[in-house]
Amino acid sequence: MENKFNETLSRYEQSLSKISLNEYFEADDLLDIIDYYIKNERYADADQCLGFALAQYPDNEDIWITKAYRLKSEGHWDEARAIIDNLSDQECADAKLFRVEENIASGDWDRAFFFVEKIMDDKLVPNRVELIVDIAELLIDYGLYTEATYFLKHVPDGHAEKPHALELMAECHFQNHDYDKAVEESNKLIDLDPYNQRSWEQMANIRQMQGNFQEMRECADYALAINPKSDLAMRQRIIGLLCSEQLNDDIFDEAKKYSKQHPEDLYVAMPLAQALLDDSRPGDALPILRRALKLTPFDSPDRVTLLLMLGWTYCFIGDDANAKQCALALSSFDASNLQHLKHTLKQIADFQKPAYGVELLDRVHELMPSNSELFNMTVWFLAENKIYDKAFLLWHHCITRPEYITLSATPGIARAIFEFVKDKEIFSYYLYLALHSHPDETLDYFRDVADCSGVEELIKALKEKTKNWKKD
């Protein structure tokens, strides 16, 4: 079947330069070629073939429906609707699907679901269950996962579409972050067909999001047993290995081999580089990160993560100039990047490279000046590493924005106020909060000022040291 399509595609493309109405192709063959072009994002070729198909078969409604959906995908809804309204069968599945999508796209949810409920209630609709599944896929495309799940539950057991429905329901729960329910539906699908490669790959994705990397790898291994050539399953296996608790040379060798064979695969490149960094192998991580950064689009959110990792790698090997350049190269930053920033700052602290941490935080505060989690992360890093004079601007930024200070940050804020502000009233306020919420941390932060073993002793020592301060 595939060979026949390839032969038809080759004959069509060879004849493009001399194409005319005398050239003959079956309508279904032309539709297959159009579908192939669309799936491969060759839209200009698809539209050219579509024009030729309509010239040969001006009365073929399947071709006109394809034309309508191409117009719709380009945003030409009115032209597309005009074609759908001219179909001889206004009750056909494509006409129903178009009307449902048009109302969803325009935000007319009530009318969209009215059409769907009509289909659900009419037992005489041809291929009704298949149409319900098609509508569910449409809802998923628009992010309406809960609604899609509701309709998919109506697919009866034993129906040919049941496995597909279970796969879609698992995907809906996955997108809604309800991973336990996703596992439940995925298990049902595996029970129906334990030799379904896609089922195991879907389960591996769910296990990854649950943080269960051992079961992720096991699911990937099942998928590879079914199809040893599955790139997705191999990627999942490698990620599962890299995220395991016990890394060894065999795991690194397998991951490096995969990365060399798939240099464009960022899903493996980043965890591989992170694992190498965590294992103190910056020299191995550097070429992987540089290659990954080169392949990452400028507007991709992965670029921020890669620059954080690459900057730390340069810092690790003592290349401070390139490390600083990575920080300056950050052109955007949002809350989704904070977890990786925190991990990077912990590595910086562990390896005693505080100067780079200050440069990095300076840049991030420029890009995201008002975020409570970032403020508290900054206070933690500076106080833990006893960085004061060299981070005056950062401290000033944090101290003067009390609305972003949480209890966990009060020990560091109290220590900074002692260092810079020297105001009795403000200092007493934050010291009180710090000693009552985090006494051990507060004692540690003030140890270079007053090496005390207890809270009462620290209070007494600080009273003596601040006795000449003026109240504001």
Side-chain angles (χ1 to χ4, degrees):
M1 195 73 175
E2 185 176 344
N3 288 337
K4 182 177 182 298
F5 170 75
N6 289 335
E7 289 173 6
T8 305
L9 177 64
S10 177
R11 184 166 69 89
Y12 168 77
E13 292 186 337
Q14 288 173 10
S15 67
L16 279 177
S17 60
K18 56 181 181 178
I19 213 161
S20 70
L21 292 180
N22 294 323
E23 294 281 349
Y24 179 77
F25 292 86
E26 294 284 350
D28 288 344
D29 288 340
L30 290 172
L31 286 168
D32 287 341
I33 292 171
I34 294 165
D35 184 57
Y36 167 80
Y37 284 145
I38 292 172
K39 285 180 178 177
N40 287 276
E41 299 183 0
R42 294 172 57 180
Y43 301 119
D45 291 332
D47 291 338
Q48 183 180 26
C49 187
L50 192 51
F52 176 63
L54 286 171
Q56 281 207 341
Y57 300 98
D59 298 324
N60 187 303
E61 292 200 339
D62 287 337
I63 298 175
W64 279 109
I65 288 169
T66 302
K67 173 72 173 177
Y69 274 86
R70 274 294 297 138
L71 288 167
K72 182 265 297 180
S73 69
E74 297 292 330
H76 304 301
W77 283 93
D78 291 342
E79 294 175 56
R81 192 190 318 108
I83 293 174
I84 296 296
D85 288 344
N86 281 326
L87 294 177
S88 60
D89 182 6
Q90 289 295 302
E91 295 301 312
C92 71
D94 289 298
K96 292 178 184 290
L97 279 170
F98 183 89
R99 293 192 180 95
V100 171
E101 182 173 5
E102 185 176 30
N103 284 288
I104 291 174
S106 62
D108 193 349
W109 317 112
D110 290 342
R111 187 165 176 78
F113 294 134
F114 169 75
F115 280 125
V116 179
E117 291 289 357
K118 277 184 66 177
I119 295 168
M120 297 283 294
D121 294 339
D122 189 353
K123 306 295 184 183
L124 300 178
V125 171
N127 300 315
R128 172 176 157 274
V129 173
E130 289 82 354
L131 185 55
I132 290 172
V133 174
D134 287 340
I135 290 171
E137 288 186 305
L138 180 63
L139 294 170
I140 291 170
D141 288 341
Y142 281 88
L144 300 171
Y145 305 115
T146 302
E147 293 79 1
T149 303
Y150 169 77
F151 293 118
L152 287 166
K153 287 178 180 178
H154 289 78
V155 176
D157 292 339
H159 194 280
E161 286 291 325
K162 187 64 177 182
H164 190 197
L166 288 171
E167 181 183 349
L168 293 174
M169 280 195 284
E171 178 64 20
C172 289
H173 292 310
F174 179 87
Q175 294 297 339
N176 277 334
H177 308 293
D178 191 342
Y179 302 123
D180 289 341
K181 284 188 178 179
V183 167
E184 183 181 335
E185 300 299 341
S186 195
N187 271 327
K188 290 178 185 176
L189 181 55
I190 290 171
D191 288 342
L192 282 178
D193 183 6
Y195 299 101
N196 187 319
Q197 169 194 336
R198 285 167 55 90
S199 304
W200 289 109
E201 290 170 344
Q202 184 182 51
M203 182 68 89
N205 279 337
I206 299 167
R207 292 306 191 189
Q208 180 182 5
M209 295 306 297
Q210 289 181 314
N212 191 336
F213 297 107
Q214 180 178 341
E215 291 202 24
M216 176 191 182
R217 180 183 57 77
E218 291 172 358
C219 291
D221 285 342
Y222 279 119
L224 286 168
I226 298 166
N227 178 12
K229 295 183 179 180
S230 170
D231 287 340
L232 174 58
M234 181 55 72
R235 172 200 291 167
Q236 292 170 331
R237 170 181 165 76
I238 298 297
I239 293 174
L241 287 169
L242 289 171
C243 295
S244 61
E245 293 182 1
Q246 294 182 333
L247 292 171
N248 55 50
D249 288 339
D250 290 340
I251 290 176
F252 283 124
D253 289 344
E254 186 175 348
K256 287 178 186 177
K257 181 180 177 182
Y258 175 89
S259 184
K260 189 173 181 179
Q261 293 171 340
H262 302 83
E264 76 294 340
D265 192 342
L266 297 181
Y267 291 101
V268 165
M270 288 196 286
L272 172 56
Q274 188 62 68
L276 289 166
L277 289 172
D278 291 343
D279 202 50
S280 300
R281 303 188 190 195
D284 291 334
L286 184 60
I288 295 169
L289 288 169
R290 291 176 65 176
R291 184 177 66 232
L293 186 65
K294 182 170 66 174
L295 294 170
T296 303
F298 187 77
D299 58 350
S300 170
D302 288 329
R303 194 169 183 84
V304 174
T305 302
L306 285 167
L307 283 168
L308 288 173
M309 294 174 71
L310 185 59
W312 165 235
T313 304
Y314 279 128
C315 183
F316 202 148
I317 62 178
D319 189 345
D320 295 339
N322 269 322
K324 182 177 181 179
Q325 201 58 48
C326 285
L328 294 174
L330 291 169
S331 59
S332 64
F333 202 95
D334 59 38
S336 66
N337 306 123
L338 285 172
Q339 194 60 37
H340 204 93
L341 174 64
K342 185 176 183 179
H343 184 77
T344 302
L345 290 172
K346 283 183 176 179
Q347 290 179 313
I348 291 170
D350 290 343
F351 285 85
Q352 299 180 350
K353 300 279 189 176
Y356 177 61
V358 173
E359 290 174 347
L360 185 57
L361 285 168
D362 276 334
R363 181 59 177 157
V364 173
H365 274 273
E366 289 176 6
L367 297 168
M368 193 171 65
S370 303
N371 180 279
S372 180
E373 188 177 352
L374 175 60
F375 270 63
N376 290 280
M377 196 182 298
T378 302
V379 170
W380 161 79
F381 177 79
L382 297 177
E384 280 286 327
N385 292 279
K386 297 180 171 48
I387 307 169
Y388 296 101
D389 289 341
K390 292 182 179 180
F392 173 76
L393 291 178
L394 278 174
W395 277 118
H396 181 268
H397 191 52
C398 294
I399 291 170
T400 56
R401 303 294 294 275
E403 66 270 25
Y404 293 113
I405 297 171
T406 63
L407 277 177
S408 63
T410 53
I413 291 292
R415 179 64 181 83
I417 289 171
F418 178 89
E419 191 73 24
F420 300 119
V421 181
K422 302 187 185 304
D423 178 283
K424 272 189 176 181
E425 189 172 342
I426 298 175
F427 177 65
S428 298
Y429 172 74
Y430 282 107
L431 181 64
Y432 173 83
L433 293 175
L435 287 172
H436 279 75
S437 60
H438 298 82
D440 293 338
E441 201 171 337
T442 307
L443 284 165
D444 183 54
Y445 287 173
F446 280 92
R447 204 166 300 282
D448 62 325
V449 175
D451 190 4
C452 304
S453 58
V455 170
E456 296 299 327
E457 187 181 346
L458 177 63
I459 292 173
K460 184 178 179 181
L462 290 176
K463 278 184 177 180
E464 178 62 26
K465 290 182 179 293
T466 61
K467 64 182 180 182
N468 295 324
W469 287 6
K470 295 180 180 180
K471 291 189 176 180
D472 189 12

